[in-house]
Amino acid sequence: MPKATIKPQDFATLYEGFTAPVSRFDCGRKCAPLNGGEPVCCSTQNAVPVVHKVEFDLLKTRTDLWSKFKPYDYATKQIVAELTSDCMAIHCKGARHCERDNRTIACRGFPFYPYLTRQKEFVGIGTYWVFEDRCWMMSNLEIVDRAFVEQFIATYEALFVKDHSEFTTYVDFSASARRVYSRWKREIPLLGRQGELLIVEPSTGNIRPGRKKDYPKVAPFSSEKEYREAVKEAGGEVPKEGLRAA
Ligand code: SF4
Ligand code: SF4
């Protein structure tokens, strides 16, 4: 495999090209009430950010927002133990201290990953399914901005050229997605390169255009009632517009 040639400055360039928000709505207001007031993707209780060591080298020169993550239980020790030698786990000071320009590629892209077909074609972006019961955005794919999808794809295409191991990571991850959804007997929703909904039949890998009814709605984001009950159970406060994008 060709050795990665990626340098800290390359991440600075990638950051410049990946600034679009996922949508024009502040989705953190929807998931935070279920998560002690903090957006789900910004708390290491839920998601441990994994970065290229080279990306951390860049961030260290720009900010003190990030530091090396210290595992605190069996699950987080496992995450760190399984990292490849060019990656590391880091954590930030928390959502209140967020610096937009110093977010990692993973922060900018959440909750999406690059989806590659069996033929290794980069056809669109999939969602990190383990978060589907906590991430409101994953049940609202119809409001994802096309500019975000385009920037996401351009960023990962550039990254794959610089570091082939990133490419193979997502080839493997997409294969895992097909296995998991196949076991669940569910189809995989993707956003295609122009932001359009695509549906993958996981056992064959075949892709068809999605229809309106194919947009996923996962509990507790599938009804106002379920959402309100879940927020109440978590001791949070329901946003005044409820589940609706606003
Ligand atoms: S992307 Fe998902 S988890 Fe992150 S803030 Fe938005 S709704 Fe919450
Ligand atoms: S840098 Fe910002 S977006 Fe990224 S995890 Fe921290 S608070 Fe969330």
Side-chain angles (χ1 to χ4, degrees):
M1 186 187 294
K3 205 168 156 35
T5 54
I6 197 150
K7 299 191 175 52
Q9 193 50 41
D10 294 320
F11 277 98
T13 309
L14 293 176
Y15 285 1
E16 279 166 28
F18 196 9
T19 55
V22 178
S23 83
R24 64 195 170 88
F25 301 102
D26 175 8
C27 51
R29 294 176 56 236
K30 307 290 192 184
C31 68
L34 295 163
N35 187 49
E38 208 179 354
V40 168
C41 56
C42 297
S43 61
T44 48
Q45 299 298 332
N46 290 294
V48 179
V50 172
V51 292
H52 230 283
K53 284 180 178 160
V54 171
E55 185 172 9
F56 186 51
D57 288 343
L58 169 76
L59 287 165
K60 279 189 296 193
T61 65
R62 292 165 51 131
T63 178
D64 62 358
L65 178 64
W66 293 97
S67 49
K68 194 171 169 191
F69 173 76
K70 293 187 187 67
Y72 54 82
D73 61 7
Y74 179 76
T76 51
K77 277 190 191 129
Q78 283 297 106
I79 291 171
V80 170
E82 284 167 14
L83 293 174
T84 56
S85 62
D86 52 359
C87 286
M88 63 184 291
I90 61 175
H91 70 143
C92 83
K93 289 179 179 170
R96 274 184 301 280
H97 305 276
C98 188
E99 297 168 21
R100 231 188 127 61
D101 292 342
N102 290 322
R103 291 170 304 146
T104 62
I105 297 287
C107 297
R108 291 165 203 245
F110 194 88
F112 299 97
Y113 68 88
Y115 179 87
L116 295 120
T117 64
R118 281 182 182 168
Q119 294 74 32
K120 303 187 181 175
E121 199 189 334
F122 186 3
V123 289
I125 63 179
T127 52
Y128 286 111
W129 59 87
V130 293
F131 294 100
E132 67 177 8
D133 59 342
R134 284 159 285 164
C135 172
W136 173 88
M137 185 53 79
M138 291 174 58
S139 287
N140 287 274
L141 296 181
E142 54 275 58
I143 62 162
V144 174
D145 277 343
R146 181 171 171 165
F148 168 82
V149 178
E150 289 172 350
Q151 289 188 9
F152 185 110
I153 288 182
T155 300
Y156 275 90
E157 276 179 341
L159 191 57
F160 292 161
V161 170
K162 291 275 177 192
D163 183 358
H164 191 73
S165 71
E166 286 281 330
F167 181 73
T168 50
T169 296
Y170 289 108
V171 167
D172 294 346
F173 193 76
S174 303
S176 306
R178 289 188 291 275
R179 278 195 298 276
V180 169
Y181 280 79
S182 189
R183 215 165 41 234
W184 285 346
K185 301 194 181 351
R186 280 171 52 185
E187 294 172 319
I188 307 175
L190 302 180
L191 293 176
R193 300 174 71 95
Q194 277 85 42
E196 75 284 15
L197 182 68
L198 299 174
I199 299 293
V200 183
E201 206 292 296
S203 57
T204 59
N206 291 344
I207 299 181
R208 65 169 170 86
R211 293 182 288 264
K212 196 157 182 273
K213 69 171 182 52
D214 294 320
Y215 279 106
K217 301 285 170 207
V218 176
F221 306 110
S222 42
S223 79
E224 198 68 52
K225 184 166 174 279
E226 269 179 323
Y227 178 59
R228 283 176 189 273
E229 280 172 6
V231 171
K232 194 170 160 205
E233 200 175 309
E237 198 176 320
V238 178
K240 68 176 183 330
E241 72 286 356
L243 203 48
R244 184 171 52 85

